[in-house]
Amino acid sequence: MFGKLSLSAIPLSQPIPLITSLAVMAILIGVLVLVTVKGWWPYLWKEWITSVDHKRIGVMYVLLGVVMLIRGFADAIMMRTQQAMAIGAQGYLPPEHYNQIFSAHGTIMILFGAMPLVLGFMNFLVPLQLGVRDVAFPTFNSVGFWLTASGAFLVNVSLFVGEFARTGWLPYPPLSEVGYSPGVGVDYYLWAVQISGVGTLITGINIVTTVLKMRCPGMSYLRMPVFTWTALASCLLIIAVFPILTATLAMLTLDRYLGFHFFTNDAGGSPMMFMNLIWAWGHPEVYILVLPAFGIYSEIFPTFSGKPLFGYRSMVAATLFICIVSMMVWLHHFFTMGAGPAVNTFFGIASSVIAVGTGVKIYNWIFTMYGGRVRMEVPMLWSLGFIFTFVIGGLTGVLLAIPPADFLTHNSMFLVAHFHNVIVGGVVFAIFAGLEFWFPKAFGFRLHEGLGKAAFWFAFVGFWVTFAPLYVLGLEGMTRRLQHINIEEWRPMLYVSVVGVAILIVGVVAQVAQLVVSIRDREKLRDVTGDPWDGRSLEWATPSPPPFFNFAVLPNVEGEEAYWGIKQRAIETQQMSPEPRYRPIEMPINSPVGIYTAFFASVFGFAMIWHIWWLAILALVAAFAGFVVFAWRDVHEFEVPAEEVAQADRARRASREAALARMAAAEGTPEGAGA
């Protein structure tokens, strides 16, 4: 009745996962009890869990990503400390546990940490920057988020019940086939990534449709902010390559469950087909993450330099160039697999050429700062740290794009250092910069500046102390994923790397302290203007936080920097534009279909992992029934009365008029908000 599931699936004999499981369960139970005692369930259900507001969904994506980022960082701490303690010894992690940790670290950081964070920024910002009220399919958006959460849930269940994959973050056959991985670890990977991948595809379709069909009056393509352009490019990549991931994992699932031979040498299959398919998705995945990060920097550099973005159109062209070329470089991940010199040369050149598009962006950001009044606030620090870190990562990437050089460094710690240079320097730094930058817009108050700067410096220094030694170790021949080390000469660099991890931990503590202190001092840090950084795009035209309908009246854009032009006119004339005629607004109603679908998707995935067939069928039917009920509902929207719209907008106008009055009184250079 319960398939492969039995009490032996609970790791009672393994103290590390057992204690961790108990601690996490204690925290979860404590949170649930607190929410129940405080009577917060109705609020959470109505305002968050069933919300279809793109801003709320964006915030939930970010929250999920931050939690999983911390989980993945815990895995990283265990890996680095294990290697430092296992020089000529076995360390404290058994090999089978260590293998699960490095697999979980990669999977979580890329698919359940960075991806939700990037999708969260897209969800929150794109409709605001386009001057519209929501995404194209609001309820579909909720389903996408909850399916991503469902995948993250299954990954964490593997900590308590069963095991996770021991194959690395990409389950290469034949290691992932039943013969070499008979346990449920690979199945956890397959169903978690499969379900969350469907959620990501839903979000990609939603963002692309929103950008193509729902821009406010006057918002032509070449007036869209660069972040929106990068979100569009990233989501085009999602639509193009996530079906490849879905099909690849489906074929591996058929291999494992029904004895197919897509990726085995028996019966006509080939592991190389898996390599090609998984990297046809895997390399564009890097750019799915990096392109929106570039968009975040493209919003921060102009704002904190007091200048328009240098070379706006070349930035758009570079974004689309990277979007296209990123689809043509996947084979550089297996130069050493015998494809031959002609194939290797083509993919080596394509991999190097992509650096041209990135170089255009780097120069444009530098020229944006040149001659500007640069303000060294926390978002700008993260952005400058990015330029230094990412350029080093890019240069080592060009080195790896040369097949002869790649033969020497393939599968080494040099590759690990390069990859983290790109992903941490490019994506994670952007996420922290973006969180600092748009936090006031989402929650109505700024984050504590001093602790934010401390978090940056500890993270920046910690990153380099951690990963610079890995370049040296890679050049000395150390391969990745070693559970113990037999070469004494590697000891100094491994110890230095652990010191770096300790510095990074201090940075994480500073980041958490920043959030706690900021919540405590939120009245002191409150943003009453809606425009705390003197921003240039339309999200800064709304109050902080924005009303659920975003804009009382859709804006009319007349230039490349939509809000900057409106604001400058108000400052020059010292008056707001005339009050508009307010009308009722139609907004989508809340829906539980997202959480409902995710619940049964989780049950379905868990049942498939443990071969509980009756439960899998039941869950699938229940999930389908939820969609049918949703499709037959009669009421899809509700009307916001004109009086409510007017009340919200008049409050916004009053705060902007107060800002204009303060500027006039100061008789100085305007630094605040406008219309």
Side-chain angles (χ1 to χ4, degrees), residues 227-563:
F227 177 81
T228 299
W229 264 111
T230 56
L232 174 63
S234 174
C235 289
L236 287 171
L237 283 174
I238 287 174
I239 294 172
V241 302
F242 263 75
I244 300 175
L245 174 69
T246 302
T248 308
L249 297 185
M251 285 190 276
L252 183 57
T253 304
L254 290 171
D255 275 12
R256 287 182 59 84
Y257 281 70
L258 296 177
F260 282 46
H261 293 280
F262 286 111
F263 303 129
T264 64
N265 284 328
D266 302 327
S270 169
M272 281 307 298
M273 185 165 72
F274 182 89
M275 296 283 283
N276 277 286
L277 288 171
I278 202 71
W279 281 115
W281 159 79
H283 196 82
E285 167 68 15
V286 173
Y287 291 92
I288 288 170
L289 299 175
V290 166
L291 283 173
F294 288 168
I296 291 173
Y297 297 124
S298 298
E299 301 298 323
I300 289 174
F301 280 117
T303 301
F304 290 93
S305 300
K307 286 175 59 186
L309 182 67
F310 184 88
Y312 168 82
R313 295 190 178 214
S314 64
M315 291 294 265
V316 173
T319 299
L320 297 178
F321 173 79
I322 293 171
C323 175
I324 294 168
V325 178
S326 70
M327 300 277 293
M328 303 164 63
V329 299
W330 79 88
L331 194 133
H332 70 214
H333 289 274
F334 40 102
F335 276 148
T336 59
M337 301 294 273
V343 174
N344 282 358
T345 301
F346 173 82
F347 282 92
I349 292 171
S351 302
S352 301
V353 164
I354 205 166
V356 175
T358 309
V360 169
K361 288 176 174 286
I362 297 283
Y363 281 116
N364 280 351
W365 289 321
I366 293 172
F367 287 137
T368 300
M369 289 185 284
Y370 180 74
R373 289 183 301 164
V374 178
R375 289 177 284 154
M376 287 297 177
E377 301 199 48
V378 181
M380 196 64 171
L381 288 178
W382 285 108
S383 303
L384 291 172
F386 146 76
I387 285 187
F388 178 78
T389 307
F390 191 82
V391 165
I392 301 294
L395 290 174
T396 54
V398 172
L399 179 66
L400 289 169
I402 303 169
D406 185 76
F407 269 68
L408 295 176
T409 54
H410 181 75
N411 207 34
S412 72
M413 294 300 279
F414 188 94
L415 178 65
V416 174
H418 155 72
F419 182 73
H420 284 82
N421 245 159
V422 172
I423 294 297
V424 176
V427 180
V428 178
F429 280 18
I431 286 164
F432 289 138
L435 286 175
E436 194 83 27
F437 189 51
W438 283 294
F439 190 91
K441 180 54 58 186
F443 297 102
F445 59 95
R446 295 167 64 155
L447 291 169
H448 189 279
E449 187 176 359
L451 285 168
K453 288 183 176 178
F456 164 74
W457 283 112
F458 279 115
F460 182 73
V461 174
F463 171 83
W464 278 104
V465 177
T466 301
F467 289 100
L470 302 191
Y471 279 119
V472 179
L473 288 168
L475 292 174
E476 289 180 348
M478 181 175 170
T479 56
R480 55 182 173 168
R481 299 168 182 160
L482 292 181
Q483 189 266 340
H484 67 277
I485 290 98
N486 294 325
I487 297 179
E488 185 64 27
E489 286 76 12
W490 293 344
R491 184 185 293 273
M493 288 294 112
L494 287 168
Y495 281 178
V496 171
S497 185
V498 168
V499 171
V501 171
I503 299 171
L504 279 172
I505 292 172
V506 177
V508 173
V509 171
Q511 201 95 47
V512 173
Q514 183 197 28
L515 184 62
V516 173
V517 170
S518 302
I519 293 173
R520 185 196 67 186
D521 298 342
R522 57 187 177 278
E523 290 307 321
K524 196 191 311 180
L525 297 168
R526 178 121 356 238
D527 168 38
V528 295
T529 67
D531 185 18
W533 309 112
D534 197 15
R536 311 176 82 89
S537 46
L538 279 177
E539 72 269 29
W540 305 109
T542 63
S544 298
F548 63 92
F549 47 79
N550 289 353
F551 300 94
V553 177
L554 295 187
N556 186 18
V557 175
E558 296 177 357
E560 283 186 0
E561 295 186 303
Y563 178 49

